Amino acid sequence: TNITPRVSGWVQQLYVNQTGQQVSQNQELLTVYSQDLYQAQQDYLVALQTAARPGTDSLLSATRSQILEAARERLRLLGMPESEIERLKSTGEARAELPLTSPFSGIVLDKSVLTGQYVGPDQSLFTIADLRTVWVLADVYEADLAGVRVGQEAVMTVTAFPNEEFRGKVAFIYPTVSEQTRTLKVRLEFENPNLRLRPGMYAEVRLTGGGESVLAVSRDAVMDGGDLDYAFVIHNGNHFAP
C-alpha cells in the first residue's frame, strides 16, 4: 500500500527514515503539522459545546446533533484516528499534529519524505509491502496453456536456495500472449513466513497436475539403437526384455 496524508502540512517528526525497515501494524511512521486539522478540531469542540447546551426546542437540538456529527465525520475524513477523536472529546485540547500509522506489518519498500517537508494528499510518502505472501510472475509457452488453470499447484526453486522447493498455487492467468516471446504471464502465490523469498529473485517454476495421464519413462531409461529407440521391461523380477 502507498501511505498518503489526507491533509496538507509539514512533516514534524519522522520515525521511519530508511527503506527496508520493518514496521508493525499501527506503528507511527511520522506526524504532520496541519493548520487545516487544527481548525477542524476547533470546529468539533465548538459543535460539542453547542450540542451540550440545554434547550426545549427539539428541532434545534436535532440540528446541533447533526452539526456535531458532521464535524466528527470531517475529522475522520482528514485521517484522524478514533482514539484521537475520543481524546479530543474528553480533554478539549486540539492538536495540530496528525500521526500517520502503518495499516499492517510489513517492510518499507520506498520512502520519499524528509523531516520538515511540505506534503499534501497528492503525495505518496511510503510504500509498504507485507512480504509474508509473495507473487511470482512466470512465463508459460503458448503451446502449454491448455494445461494451466487457476488454483493449480506450483513448485518453485530459486538460485539462493537451489536444494529447496517452495510450494504455491496459480492465482491469476494474464489475458494476453507476448508477440515477441509467444509466452503468457502467470501469477503465482507463495507463502513466505520467514521472509526468505525476496522481490527481484529469479526462479524456476514447475506446474503439476495440468495434463492428462500418459505412459512415460525416465529420459535416461531410453536407449538409442540407431534406427529404433527402446527401453527394457523387467519380467518376473529377473528377466529383462527390450
Side-chain angles (χ1 to χ4, degrees):
T1 186
N2 290 324
I3 306 298
T4 58
R6 296 186 183 181
V7 295
S8 299
W10 290 265
V11 176
Q12 194 79 359
Q13 297 288 336
L14 186 60
Y15 302 113
V16 176
N17 55 13
Q18 60 184 356
T19 58
Q21 187 169 339
Q22 181 81 34
V23 295
S24 303
Q25 185 176 11
N26 297 324
Q27 177 180 338
E28 286 194 11
L29 306 174
L30 52 78
T31 58
V32 177
Y33 177 83
S34 172
Q35 288 289 347
D36 294 338
L37 178 66
Y38 184 79
Q39 184 59 51
Q41 292 178 75
Q42 294 288 3
D43 293 342
Y44 175 72
L45 292 176
V46 171
L48 195 64
Q49 295 170 1
T50 303
R53 292 175 184 172
T56 57
D57 190 334
S58 59
L59 180 60
L60 179 60
S61 298
T63 301
R64 290 174 176 175
S65 297
Q66 291 175 357
I67 294 175
L68 175 62
E69 183 55 35
R72 187 183 182 99
E73 183 63 21
R74 185 186 178 199
L75 293 177
R76 294 193 192 102
L77 294 175
L78 290 175
M80 193 169 182
E82 286 291 338
S83 58
E84 278 294 301
I85 296 177
E86 289 300 320
R87 180 206 60 80
L88 175 65
K89 180 180 178 180
S90 60
T91 64
E93 179 185 352
R95 294 177 181 174
E97 289 188 12
L98 174 68
L100 293 186
T101 60
S102 176
F104 51 76
S105 299
I107 292 176
V108 177
L109 297 184
D110 182 62
K111 182 191 79 75
S112 54
V113 61
L114 299 171
T115 302
Q117 179 179 338
Y118 183 80
V119 296
D122 58 337
Q123 293 176 257
S124 176
L125 308 183
F126 295 95
T127 300
I128 298 177
D130 182 0
L131 298 182
R132 291 174 297 180
T133 300
V134 295
W135 287 352
V136 177
L137 293 182
D139 292 313
V140 177
Y141 287 110
E142 184 178 8
D144 298 327
L145 294 184
V148 181
R149 66 183 186 277
V150 173
Q152 185 174 356
E153 182 184 9
V155 180
M156 178 179 67
T157 57
V158 295
T159 305
F161 312 108
N163 299 321
E164 187 174 353
E165 291 185 341
F166 299 86
R167 296 188 177 274
K169 62 181 180 179
V170 177
F172 183 74
I173 301 174
Y174 285 76
T176 58
V177 175
S178 170
E179 295 182 359
Q180 289 75 31
T181 62
R182 307 310 304 173
T183 59
L184 184 79
K185 291 288 185 185
V186 175
R187 190 177 74 210
L188 314 170
E189 190 174 284
F190 290 84
E191 296 300 321
N192 188 34
N194 298 322
L195 305 182
R196 300 174 70 198
L197 300 174
R198 300 170 183 267
M201 280 183 166
Y202 281 102
E204 287 189 358
V205 176
R206 183 173 72 254
L207 299 180
T208 62
E212 298 178 355
S213 296
V214 296
L215 181 64
V217 296
S218 299
R219 183 177 289 106
D220 55 5
V222 179
M223 305 298 174
D224 184 2
D227 295 335
L228 185 67
D229 293 335
Y230 63 93
F232 283 98
V233 178
I234 304 176
H235 294 286
N236 300 324
N238 56 12
H239 178 67
F240 294 82

